[in-house]
């Protein structure tokens, strides 16, 4: 055990975690970014960039209240309650494909929400990918590690479950949603494939929370004993709570009792309620003002 801890401290504590998080450049006091990062192009904003983005001061979030957007929305609301963390927000509507506009791609070349921007840097520093954003925020603002961990093995466990859902659960459930709800053509094999994989990921979460192999049921995904509410949960819950939207029936979810209790446990948190509330509801007129232009469903009018 001591050998394992020493190895993990070398890999995770001293190198991987700190390097990954701190490379993002967002610190609680918005300390200067390393000089090498300041060589980034200063043409981050253009005349097409919404004023709410390029005129923002401090930390700014571009989002829509989808499962991915909700991850960062939740953590920011949680940090606000603990540390009075402040930020501003621009809401867009991804149905208009505004996230594929030039002004947006300068902020996130992948054309996905959410995007975090530190406007105190010259040039402003952007962060894409939800797990990277969650890690940046806890490194920047969670000085008491309320939503992260101090002990190296717990840090490792947190990263494992955060990446498990980011790399497996979310993509499969997202594809299930697409082929079941949004695709113009019904492809039974695709629906069956992604449905099965989503259920399989649910079953892995259920096994872990139930303590199937440890004989220790858990309340949360990472941490000793029953675990502690952390970014591992925040990075997973917004997708899992949408099981009904994905087409699963209540009877199907009965096989995941510990997972369903976990969903309800997090649902009751006040910051979570705020993060899913009216504050983040996209208004079509506001979205147009953010550069969306004509919406696809209006072209036939």
């Amino acid at each position: 055990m001591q050998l394992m801890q020493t190895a993990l401290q070398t890999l995770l504590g001293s190198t991987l975690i700190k390097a990954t998080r701190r490379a993002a450049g967002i610190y609680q006091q918005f300390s200067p970014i390393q000089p090498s990062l300041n060589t980034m192009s200063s043409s981050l904003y253009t005349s097409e960039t919404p004023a709410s983005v390029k005129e923002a001061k401090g930390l700014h979030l571009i989002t829509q209240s989808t499962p991915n957007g909700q991850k960062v929305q939740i953590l920011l609301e949680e940090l606000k309650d603990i540390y009075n963390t402040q930020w501003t927000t621009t809401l867009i509507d991804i149905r208009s494909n505004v996230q594929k506009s030039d002004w947006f791609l300068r902020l996130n070349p992948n054309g996905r929400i959410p995007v975090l921007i530190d406007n105190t840097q010259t040039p402003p520093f952007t962060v894409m990918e939800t797990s990277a954003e969650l890690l940046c925020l806890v490194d920047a603002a969670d000085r008491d590690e309320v939503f992260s961990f101090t002990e190296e093995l717990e840090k490792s466990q947190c990263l494992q479950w955060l990446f498990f859902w980011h790399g497996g659960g979310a993509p499969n459930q997202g594809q299930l949603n697409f082929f079941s709800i949004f695709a113009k053509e019904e492809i039974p094999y695709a629906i069956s494939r992604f449905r099965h994989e989503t259920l399989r990921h649910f079953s892995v979460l259920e096994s872990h929370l139930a303590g199937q192999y440890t004989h220790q049921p858990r309340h949360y995904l990472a941490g000793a004993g029953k675990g502690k509410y952390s970014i591992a949960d925040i990075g997973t819950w917004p997708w899992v709570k949408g099981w009904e939207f994905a087409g699963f029936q209540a009877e199907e979810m009965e096989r995941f009792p510990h997972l369903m209790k976990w969903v309800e446990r997090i649902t009751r948190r006040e910051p979570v309620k705020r993060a899913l509330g009216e504050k983040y509801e996209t208004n079509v007129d506001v979205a147009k003002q953010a550069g969306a232009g004509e919406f696809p469903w209006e072209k036939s009018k």
Side-chain angles (χ1 to χ4, degrees):
M1 179 62 71
Q2 183 61 43
L3 181 61
M4 181 182 295
Q5 288 180 323
T6 301
L8 281 168
Q9 286 171 351
T10 301
L11 176 63
L12 299 173
S14 302
T15 307
L16 182 59
I17 293 177
K18 293 180 182 178
T20 301
R21 295 180 183 177
R22 290 177 181 172
I26 301 177
Y27 291 89
Q28 187 176 9
Q29 300 301 322
F30 297 107
S31 303
I33 297 178
Q34 295 296 323
S36 61
L37 294 179
N38 281 323
T39 62
M40 293 170 56
S41 171
S42 60
S43 59
L44 196 64
Y45 299 139
T46 71
S47 60
E48 301 301 319
T49 306
S52 64
V53 176
K54 62 186 176 184
E55 296 176 6
K57 309 298 181 184
L59 189 62
H60 190 73
L61 173 68
I62 303 175
T63 190
Q64 182 174 350
S65 198
T66 65
N68 283 336
Q70 289 164 5
K71 297 180 188 182
V72 180
Q73 292 163 204
I74 289 170
L75 182 56
L76 283 168
E77 294 291 343
E78 295 279 8
L79 291 170
K80 181 179 180 181
D81 277 8
I82 301 296
Y83 305 107
N84 195 32
T85 299
Q86 299 296 310
W87 73 97
T88 52
T89 305
T90 293
L91 300 177
I92 66 171
D93 193 316
I94 60 175
R95 294 172 297 179
S96 71
N97 266 343
V98 63
Q99 71 277 15
K100 306 303 181 183
S101 303
D102 177 75
W103 73 262
F104 191 98
L105 293 174
R106 290 170 182 262
L107 306 174
N108 180 356
N110 196 33
R112 296 287 190 271
I113 57 96
V115 179
L116 274 176
I117 310 171
D118 176 4
N119 283 297
T120 69
Q121 305 301 327
T122 306
F125 188 79
T126 62
V127 188
M128 65 179 189
E129 294 298 317
T130 54
S131 292
E133 291 163 345
L134 296 179
L135 287 166
C136 270
L137 286 172
V138 294
D139 194 52
D142 189 18
R143 60 180 177 272
D144 297 328
E145 297 180 308
V146 176
F147 307 106
S148 51
F149 296 92
T150 302
E151 202 276 323
E152 298 300 333
L153 297 183
E154 290 181 313
K155 285 182 180 180
S156 174
Q157 188 179 44
C158 180
L159 287 177
Q160 291 172 54
W161 287 102
L162 180 64
F163 295 166
F164 164 77
W165 191 260
H166 186 122
N172 280 287
Q173 191 170 341
Q175 292 296 332
L176 173 61
N177 290 348
F178 175 80
F179 284 105
S180 298
I181 302 168
F182 302 110
K184 295 179 180 179
E185 176 186 356
E186 182 176 344
I187 306 176
Y189 176 78
I191 295 172
S192 175
R193 162 69 177 170
F194 292 117
R195 200 173 198 282
H196 173 80
E197 276 300 294
T198 301
L199 284 172
R200 188 182 69 79
H201 280 79
F202 286 175
S203 71
V204 173
L205 293 172
E206 171 67 22
S207 172
H208 180 57
L209 291 168
Q212 180 177 354
Y213 302 111
T214 63
H215 307 294
Q216 171 65 67
R218 307 178 60 85
H219 286 172
Y220 300 104
L221 295 176
K226 293 183 179 295
K228 182 182 79 170
Y229 177 66
S230 73
I231 58 172
D233 304 286
I234 294 171
T236 306
W237 179 87
W239 280 99
V240 179
K241 56 87 174 159
W243 58 268
E244 193 169 11
F245 181 81
F248 296 111
Q249 302 299 313
E251 293 77 11
E252 294 178 277
M253 300 303 289
E254 288 178 356
R255 58 192 269 202
F256 309 123
H258 293 83
L259 182 62
M260 296 300 284
K261 289 178 182 178
W262 171 84
V263 169
E264 177 58 29
R265 190 175 296 120
I266 295 173
T267 300
R268 293 195 296 265
R269 296 182 66 88
E270 288 302 319
V272 172
K273 293 177 183 178
R274 293 199 307 271
L276 271 62
E278 294 182 0
K279 177 179 179 180
Y280 296 99
E281 289 182 0
T282 300
N283 178 283
V284 170
D285 292 332
V286 172
K288 286 184 179 180
Q289 293 171 11
E294 186 180 42
F295 279 72
W297 58 81
E298 297 179 321
K299 292 182 178 180
S300 62
K301 295 182 180 180

